[in-house]
Structure formats: C-alpha cells, structure tokens
Amino acid sequence: VTEEVADFIDKIDDVFSALKVPVYENATDDNPVDMTQAIVNPSFEEGLKGWSYNTAATGDTGAKDNSNATYTIDKADGGYVFNTWNRTTPAGGFWVEQTVKSLPAGLYRLDVVIASDEGNVIHMEINGDTVSYTLDTPKDVATEAYVIVELDDKEPLHIRVSSNAWFKADNFRLQYFGTDSSLIPSNITSVNASEIIYPVGIYTIHGTKVQNPVKGINIIKYSDGSVRKIYVK
C-alpha cells in the first residue's frame, strides 16, 4: 500500500467515524449524550469486529456465546461476550482494545462489565488513565468498571481492558458530559470492586423506571442505596 493510498484510507476512516457521533452540543452533567454508537461493536454481537486483542492468547479467546455456562456473565448486552483465556499467561498479558476517532472535546465516562475469578485484577484504561479492579465476585457475576477522561477536540479515544489473568468483558458504554463538566478525570489508582458506587436505576417523579433521564425531575438510585434527584430542562 502506497503512502497516498494509506492516507486516503485514513481519511475515509475518519469520515465514517465522524458520522457515528450524535448531536452533542447540549450535553451536561445532568443530561449526558450517549456516544456508545461511536464504538464499533460495543457488545461483541458482530464477533471481534472493530477490536484488537492479544493473538498470543490462543487457548480460548473470542466472542463467545453468553448462554454457554463457560462464558456466562450477568449484565451482558446481547448474546455474546468477549472471553480471553490461555493455559499460561501470554507475553504482554491478556487484553482487548479499540481506538475511537472524531469525538468532540470534553469529559467522557466509559463503562464496561468485566468478570474473572475472584481475586484477579483487571485494568480499565483510557488514554493512559487506568483504574485497576480487584474482583470480589464469582466468575459469572459482572463488575461494573468505568473510567472518566477529558479529551481535546478530535483526540482519539483509546480503550483498553487488560490483565495478567483471563477475563470476560462486555457492554461497553460511552457517555459525553460536555466541556463544562464538573466530573473529575480518573487518576491512576486501584480499587476493590465492592467499593464502586454506580447507578442501578433511573425513575421519573411518578416512580416509572426509564432507560435515560427524561424532562423534569429524575430520581437516580445507586448501588450503595443512596438516592439523588436531578432536574432536566
């Protein structure tokens, strides 16, 4: 491939990436914009399309049927999950990654569900910001992992989940909070899964559960039992 052809392919790739970005100008902390569609194949329903992984993990790596007890993980989205296993840890460890392009500047939160044997450590990374999760649940019970990062305009978003142990991952979700967000980007740190507090339900003022915040008062319940009210114009 000549340099000119390679450059042309990169430009076409950028155009297609930009087309996946929804309207985002009004994103705020209380009304984030769902950017998940900018991720190629975020739940592995199309196999490994869009993703790279350590091909040295030849034991049992790929998009696997979630209905199979070997690969089952709760909170999965769809019928398939990413699983990577090898009899011994391959050089470079176990990992899966993807780069998302053409995103606007601002604060982002990337969520994913992960699972492995209890006690294993899984690293969630975005552009060098890493949160390491020590799992405290069985291998079929998902841990909600997330990282918050700030991007410059058109800065690529590099997503990576890695470990020195086998793991499963699924249901990647990306939210955009705009340029005036009060969220604090993740620092390089290590946490126990049981310490993570995450939303478990969004409800209207009348008690109806909804997928995303609606206009008016929304009640958000968290995994630690706390409740927060937000108002969306």
Side-chain angles (χ1 to χ4, degrees):
V1 179
T2 66
E3 185 176 341
E4 288 185 356
V5 171
D7 183 58
F8 179 74
I9 292 173
D10 285 341
K11 289 180 180 178
I12 293 296
D13 186 43
D14 289 343
V15 169
F16 277 104
S17 295
L19 290 174
K20 297 177 184 177
V21 177
V23 177
Y24 57 83
E25 286 82 358
N26 297 321
T28 65
D29 286 356
D30 291 334
N31 189 33
V33 172
D34 186 356
M35 292 279 192
T36 302
Q37 68 189 55
I39 303 173
V40 177
N41 190 23
S43 293
F44 303 97
E45 297 306 289
E46 300 179 79
L48 294 176
K49 177 183 177 181
W51 296 93
S52 298
Y53 64 96
N54 190 349
T55 56
T58 57
D60 192 8
T61 297
K64 303 296 182 176
D65 187 349
N66 188 53
S67 66
N68 185 318
T70 300
Y71 310 111
T72 295
I73 175 175
D74 68 343
K75 300 181 183 177
D77 178 43
Y80 294 86
V81 302
F82 175 77
N83 179 86
T84 181
W85 177 89
N86 204 60
R87 187 171 298 278
T88 59
T89 301
F94 299 91
W95 51 266
V96 63
E97 64 184 13
Q98 178 177 151
T99 299
V100 182
K101 300 180 179 179
S102 301
L103 295 171
L107 265 289
Y108 291 83
R109 170 170 164 155
L110 179 73
D111 289 72
V112 63
V113 295
I114 53 176
S116 186
D117 289 324
E118 188 172 354
N120 285 348
V121 179
I122 312 296
H123 310 292
M124 179 70 180
E125 308 170 40
I126 300 185
N127 290 16
D129 283 340
T130 303
V131 179
S132 299
Y133 290 81
T134 301
L135 304 188
D136 56 5
T137 53
K139 63 183 180 180
D140 59 341
V141 178
T143 291
E144 292 272 0
Y146 70 88
V147 180
I148 297 172
V149 68
E150 184 172 13
L151 294 184
D152 294 328
D153 192 43
K154 307 304 180 184
E155 178 183 359
L157 179 72
H158 184 69
I159 300 167
R160 182 182 174 97
V161 180
S162 65
S163 179
N164 285 325
W166 77 276
F167 68 86
K168 295 179 279 189
D170 195 62
N171 198 10
F172 284 83
R173 288 145 287 152
L174 183 63
Q175 294 184 85
Y176 175 63
F177 295 86
T179 56
D180 296 322
S181 174
S182 61
L183 296 181
I184 300 174
S186 300
N187 295 317
I188 297 177
T189 186
S190 179
V191 296
N192 290 323
S194 60
E195 297 173 354
I196 302 300
I197 299 172
Y198 54 88
V200 294
I202 304 173
Y203 300 83
T204 68
I205 192 64
H206 302 295
T208 301
K209 189 173 184 178
V210 293
Q211 187 70 26
N212 296 298
V214 298
K215 288 185 177 181
I217 297 175
N218 293 261
I219 301 170
I220 302 178
K221 295 183 178 180
Y222 291 87
S223 57
D224 65 344
S226 62
V227 175
R228 177 188 175 199
K229 290 183 180 179
I230 64 170
Y231 180 77
V232 177
K233 294 182 179 180

